[in-house]
Amino acid sequence: MSYVYTVARLRGMENNLLDAGFFSRLMDSPGIEEALRALGETSYSQWLSQSNNNFDKAIDAEMLATCEELAQFVPDRELLTIFRMPYDFHNVKVLLKGLFKVRGGDSEGRRYDLLSKLGTINTDELTEAVETEEYGFLPYGLTDLIPQCWTLWDQTKNAQAVELIIDHGMFKAMLKVAEDLNIPDVINWVKFKIDAENLRSAIRLARMKYDANKALTFFHDGGNIRADDMAKLLNEPQETWSRILSHTDIGKVLSALNEAGDLKIALSEVTKSLDEYLVKVLESAKYSMDAPANVLLYLLTKEAETRNMRVALVCVAGGLDREFGRRLLSHVG
């Protein structure tokens, strides 16, 4: 299946991506009104007017419009599915947490406002399925996964444990879709994404001084690095992790850990580095005018743009430390 036309369209769309200069200007805005005026000069302007200057809604609308535009000309829709699936699983978490609270006596526990339209499953249909326990039509293994969540909740009342099995299911489903596509670059990317999430978990658990012998459940299978090997990192000093993982691709990201003495700072720095890494591992696709991975690369770059947009606008609107905000901006695109 040829991707020449698809990649040509993507190259044209890349010209509209916002550059580092724009985000620097946005971060320097004296206040939110000036920042929104700057945003009004971009493709986000149409969504700002429709959302009454609610920049969160405008950002989400821009990303959704991008996905819908790509769906018109991308031959393998599963490439879009892989990108959008995490939003479906996010929505499942939101709905289940709400129901847990309702059944615990909190009649206001539902938070429909936290649902994302970026998933592949219509939010109204997903809400009805979860609330009526009619899971039969749900994709990605959710038919079996959601009842498992309820069983675990009934036994433990542990929301974090429920989130973990949802994440396990998400990565398993993403890898299945990638393997069915049989595009090596995409399969590798999903494995890298699993490694990245496992590394984030290792950093969080290290901050908590979590017992390595009890940590395996926090790590996901399917990555290039075995889950139990990631768990074993917790037995080692943090400064040695980059050496231990030096034989892996993701070990290159760990230099940020060695540069940050405070683990809290390191977590934010490494999270940003990992987000950038997950874009860069696909950048070789740019040298091919027929590589399907260009679709995923574009989507990730656009997602990084929206993430930068949200960081900058939150900093400006909240009067937060601009220099700290600049450190959180991803340098991709």
Side-chain angles (χ1 to χ4, degrees):
M1 188 178 297
S2 175
Y3 268 75
V4 173
Y5 172 74
T6 298
V7 175
R9 286 282 299 268
L10 292 173
R11 292 289 183 268
M13 293 172 69
E14 286 171 1
N15 294 327
N16 294 321
L17 292 170
L18 301 175
D19 60 18
F22 173 83
F23 286 106
S24 178
R25 180 160 64 98
L26 196 64
M27 195 67 83
D28 287 336
S29 300
I32 191 61
E33 291 184 4
E34 292 82 359
L36 291 177
R37 277 200 293 271
L39 199 60
E41 301 170 6
T42 71
S43 60
Y44 293 77
S45 60
Q46 59 182 314
W47 314 119
L48 277 174
S49 59
Q50 292 179 22
S51 64
N52 196 27
N53 277 352
N54 183 314
F55 63 77
D56 270 322
K57 290 183 178 178
I59 291 169
D60 288 343
E62 171 72 6
M63 193 70 236
L64 180 59
T66 298
C67 291
E68 291 174 345
E69 181 177 359
L70 265 62
Q72 302 303 311
F73 63 86
V74 171
D76 288 303
R77 298 286 182 86
E78 290 82 359
L79 287 168
L80 303 177
T81 297
I82 287 174
F83 172 78
R84 299 181 69 174
M85 280 172 65
Y87 294 99
D88 289 314
F89 283 82
H90 159 80
N91 288 341
V92 169
K93 288 180 184 179
V94 170
L95 291 169
L96 285 177
K97 284 182 180 179
L99 289 176
F100 294 161
K101 290 181 179 180
V102 169
R103 294 194 184 183
D106 181 0
S107 60
E108 304 298 323
R110 293 180 175 87
R111 289 295 306 274
Y112 299 128
D113 58 305
L114 298 179
L115 295 174
S116 172
K117 295 185 181 299
L118 286 171
T120 65
I121 308 170
N122 177 277
T123 53
D124 291 336
E125 293 177 0
L126 180 61
T127 299
E128 183 177 1
V130 173
E131 294 190 345
T132 62
E133 300 184 18
E134 296 290 340
Y135 314 126
F137 79 93
L138 295 178
Y140 318 137
L142 289 169
T143 299
D144 297 321
L145 185 62
I146 296 176
Q148 291 173 28
C149 292
W150 275 114
T151 299
L152 182 60
W153 174 254
D154 289 338
Q155 293 172 348
T156 68
K157 297 297 187 289
N158 186 331
Q160 183 185 52
V162 172
E163 283 201 36
L164 279 171
I165 66 168
I166 292 173
D167 287 340
H168 290 332
M170 178 189 74
F171 285 117
K172 181 179 179 181
M174 289 180 71
L175 193 55
K176 174 68 165 57
V177 172
E179 289 172 343
D180 288 346
L181 270 172
N182 197 27
I183 300 173
D185 285 345
V186 176
I187 295 171
N188 287 336
W189 179 81
V190 174
K191 289 177 176 288
F192 289 140
K193 185 173 177 65
I194 294 170
D195 289 338
E197 185 56 35
N198 282 342
L199 185 55
R200 286 190 185 98
S201 295
I203 295 165
R204 294 188 190 101
L205 293 171
R207 282 180 59 192
M208 298 164 56
K209 301 187 184 305
Y210 202 87
D211 185 347
N213 295 322
K214 300 177 182 178
L216 185 57
T217 186
F218 288 89
F219 298 95
H220 311 292
D221 292 321
N224 294 298
I225 306 170
R226 297 192 323 170
D228 57 349
D229 287 337
M230 293 295 273
K232 289 175 184 176
L233 286 176
L234 299 180
N235 287 322
E236 305 296 335
Q238 181 186 344
E239 59 270 17
T240 67
W241 288 9
S242 57
R243 177 179 55 78
I244 294 170
L245 296 179
S246 61
H247 64 290
T248 70
D249 289 309
I250 207 153
K252 301 171 186 175
V253 182
L254 288 174
S255 60
L257 278 174
N258 294 330
E259 295 170 2
D262 183 89
L263 197 54
K264 184 175 182 179
I265 295 174
L267 180 58
S268 62
E269 293 292 334
V270 172
T271 293
K272 185 188 79 167
S273 297
L274 288 171
D275 287 339
E276 293 174 353
Y277 165 78
L278 288 172
V279 177
K280 291 175 181 176
V281 294
L282 290 172
E283 285 189 338
S284 62
K286 284 186 175 181
Y287 301 104
S288 170
M289 287 300 292
D290 195 30
N294 277 292
V295 175
L296 191 53
L297 175 60
Y298 179 82
L299 284 167
L300 293 170
T301 305
K302 184 67 176 181
E303 185 181 48
E305 175 186 283
T306 61
R307 189 165 54 244
N308 284 345
M309 189 76 71
R310 191 168 271 113
V311 168
L313 291 172
V314 166
C315 281
V316 173
L320 304 180
D321 183 343
R322 304 293 176 90
E323 288 310 308
F324 177 72
R326 289 180 197 278
R327 292 200 301 271
L328 295 180
L329 297 179
S330 297
H331 303 293
V332 298

